Amino acid sequence: MIRTKLRKSRAGKALLAAALLGASTPALLPAAPAEAAATGRVCFFKDTQGANGAGHIAWAVRDPRNSKRWVWGSTDNAEGDSYTAPGKNNGSWMKSGSWDDLRKSFKPDPGRTKNLYDAYRCINTARGDLAAAERTFRAIRDNGYQIAYNNCLTKSIAIFRKYSPALNSVYLPNGGATPPNQYFGKMLDNARGWEKAHQYTPIRRSR
């Protein structure tokens, strides 16, 4: 009887130890909660015919605390030249509002006769710093323009990287000396995480 009780006691302890050991293994743990949905989001908008066919880019970032609010803008090369000195008007502008407000606001390049953004691509981020994006915009607004290395595309990339430092070169390649159409297409195709291009249809302002 004593031996039987002892065997049962040892068996019980062994089962308990096995249960405890098993509980520490990932396979036996309860399923982890799904990863939190991304709250940050950035988008490029492309005007294929802009800059004499090289393409033109605008940018947008979503407020991570309010998914209905966006901040967006562009650098439209106000002088229409290959270089604008720092401190002069380079055509940079920024607005905020809803997605529909965004779709009403994009203006064409200088000298164009219609609204020309035709596609956009976006990527989600785990978080986003809207204030950092806005500060970066104010800095690039005053730092001039240079057709190859300080243009609508490179300024947009700078804003995105401050908004989310996770957008490193693997997700957001450098855009210097790269035509915006090429960057929007081939380079983002080869980067991680970017959605396929969406057709962009602006909302016309009512008169």
Side-chain angles (χ1 to χ4, degrees), residues 145-204:
Y145 177 90
Q146 198 273 337
I147 194 169
Y149 294 98
N150 186 22
N151 55 37
C152 60
L153 173 61
T154 61
K155 291 175 187 289
S156 300
I157 292 169
I159 289 170
F160 288 172
R161 286 183 172 167
K162 289 297 183 181
Y163 172 82
S164 177
L167 293 174
N168 56 34
S169 59
V170 173
Y171 298 92
L172 192 64
N174 295 326
T178 304
N181 284 340
Q182 179 182 335
Y183 186 94
F184 185 92
K186 183 177 180 180
M187 291 188 73
L188 290 188
D189 286 344
N190 292 328
R192 288 187 187 174
W194 285 88
E195 299 170 2
K196 297 294 184 182
H198 304 277
Q199 182 179 356
Y200 174 70
T201 304
I203 297 177
R204 300 295 181 182

Side-chain angles (χ1 to χ4, degrees), residues 57-206:
I57 289 290
W59 58 271
V61 298
R62 187 170 67 187
D63 185 342
R65 297 183 179 181
N66 179 358
S67 63
K68 295 182 179 181
R69 180 172 180 259
W70 289 78
V71 174
W72 65 90
S74 182
T75 295
D76 292 337
N77 187 14
E79 294 186 347
D81 206 347
S82 61
Y83 176 78
T84 299
K88 291 189 174 182
N89 179 18
N90 60 16
S92 290
W93 57 273
M94 178 174 67
K95 295 183 179 181
S96 65
S98 68
W99 183 256
D100 281 353
D101 293 332
L102 178 156
R103 291 173 59 202
K104 295 174 184 176
S105 77
F106 281 133
K107 57 186 178 181
D109 281 351
R112 302 301 298 277
T113 58
K114 57 183 180 178
N115 192 324
L116 323 208
Y117 292 96
D118 49 67
Y120 67 97
R121 298 185 76 163
C122 303
I123 187 172
N124 290 331
T125 67
R127 61 187 62 83
D129 188 337
L130 199 64
E134 292 172 331
R135 285 195 302 270
T136 306
F137 164 78
R138 287 189 286 271
I140 66 174
R141 178 188 59 195
D142 300 324
N143 73 354
Y145 177 90
Q146 198 273 337
I147 194 169
Y149 294 98
N150 186 22
N151 55 37
C152 60
L153 173 61
T154 61
K155 291 175 187 289
S156 300
I157 292 169
I159 289 170
F160 288 172
R161 286 183 172 167
K162 289 297 183 181
Y163 172 82
S164 177
L167 293 174
N168 56 34
S169 59
V170 173
Y171 298 92
L172 192 64
N174 295 326
T178 304
N181 284 340
Q182 179 182 335
Y183 186 94
F184 185 92
K186 183 177 180 180
M187 291 188 73
L188 290 188
D189 286 344
N190 292 328
R192 288 187 187 174
W194 285 88
E195 299 170 2
K196 297 294 184 182
H198 304 277
Q199 182 179 356
Y200 174 70
T201 304
I203 297 177
R204 300 295 181 182
R205 291 184 181 273
S206 58

